[in-house]
Amino acid sequence: MDDRADSRDERAGLSLLTGWPLLVLLLLGAAGLAAGLLAAWHYDAARDRILATIRAIVDWTEGLGPPGAFVLAVTFAIGCVVLIPASIFNVAAGFAFGFVGGFLSAALGSALGAAAAFALGRTVARPWVERWIAGSRRFRLLEEGVRREGFKIVLLCRLSPIMPYDLLNYAFGLTPVSFRVYLTASVI
């Protein structure tokens, strides 16, 4: 008896995927595929520019020898301040200095950049950041979370791949989180 009830439930579920619902589902799938292909077509040009930039950074810093790792870290920090995606510097550091050297260079650059952008967000760039986030429900939630659980919220935001790292540096500058707590959670 249970087998018949299960098969009826399965048929009832399948019957929902016929007619108009099936057509809508297929059209949405086709639209998603078309959007993905269009994005991939445009991505080729962007990918070429990104790879050329990484190659230029690698060539430049490798040519400097061991001090190049520090130069790359400082360049990374400047990139954080001017909102250049961190992934470019992470990849360049790995290619130029291998796993350990690249990790240390990228970690230093990331920490320096996060500290600089946070400080700028608290001081000089504060009016710009306030205008940028004015009325943002997400920022209000972020600020409320930081007020309650500062370290944990900063750490979780750093671990999230969908949170824009460089922009968060500035946004955290407007929250009540202390510099010490912010930097510790960012470095971890």
Side-chain angles (χ1 to χ4, degrees):
M1 179 128 173
D2 287 336
D3 292 333
R4 282 185 278 159
D6 288 341
S7 66
R8 265 195 313 256
D9 290 342
E10 289 172 11
R11 281 191 306 244
L14 288 176
S15 67
L16 290 175
L17 292 178
T18 59
W20 285 104
L22 179 61
L23 180 61
V24 169
L25 186 63
L26 289 173
L27 288 174
L28 286 174
L33 180 62
L37 291 173
L38 183 64
W41 180 69
H42 285 292
Y43 177 74
D44 282 343
R47 184 190 65 224
D48 291 344
R49 286 192 304 271
I50 290 169
L51 290 175
T53 302
I54 291 170
R55 174 51 49 202
I57 292 170
V58 168
D59 291 345
W60 175 57
T61 54
E62 276 183 326
L64 298 173
F70 181 74
V71 171
L72 180 64
V74 171
T75 306
F76 190 143
I78 294 167
C80 284
V81 170
V82 297
L83 305 176
I84 296 173
S87 56
I88 291 173
F89 297 105
N90 288 328
V91 171
F95 277 126
F97 304 107
F99 179 76
V100 174
F103 173 79
L104 294 173
S105 179
L108 177 61
S110 177
L112 291 172
F118 179 87
L120 287 170
R122 278 244 157 121
T123 58
V124 179
R126 188 174 190 95
W128 173 78
V129 178
E130 286 174 338
R131 280 192 308 276
W132 168 61
I133 60 166
S136 169
R137 180 178 177 273
R138 288 182 185 151
F139 179 75
R140 284 194 311 274
L141 292 171
L142 177 71
E143 186 177 25
E144 182 182 314
V146 166
R147 193 171 279 117
R148 282 191 266 141
E149 297 278 347
F151 180 83
K152 189 184 298 184
I153 296 298
V154 174
L155 181 65
L156 289 172
C157 285
R158 292 304 190 202
L159 293 174
S160 172
I162 61 171
M163 302 292 244
Y165 186 87
D166 294 340
L167 293 174
L168 277 174
N169 293 330
Y170 286 99
F172 278 122
L174 298 185
T175 67
V177 69
S178 72
F179 179 77
R180 181 183 56 80
V181 167
Y182 166 77
L183 194 58
T184 302
S186 293
V187 169
I188 290 177

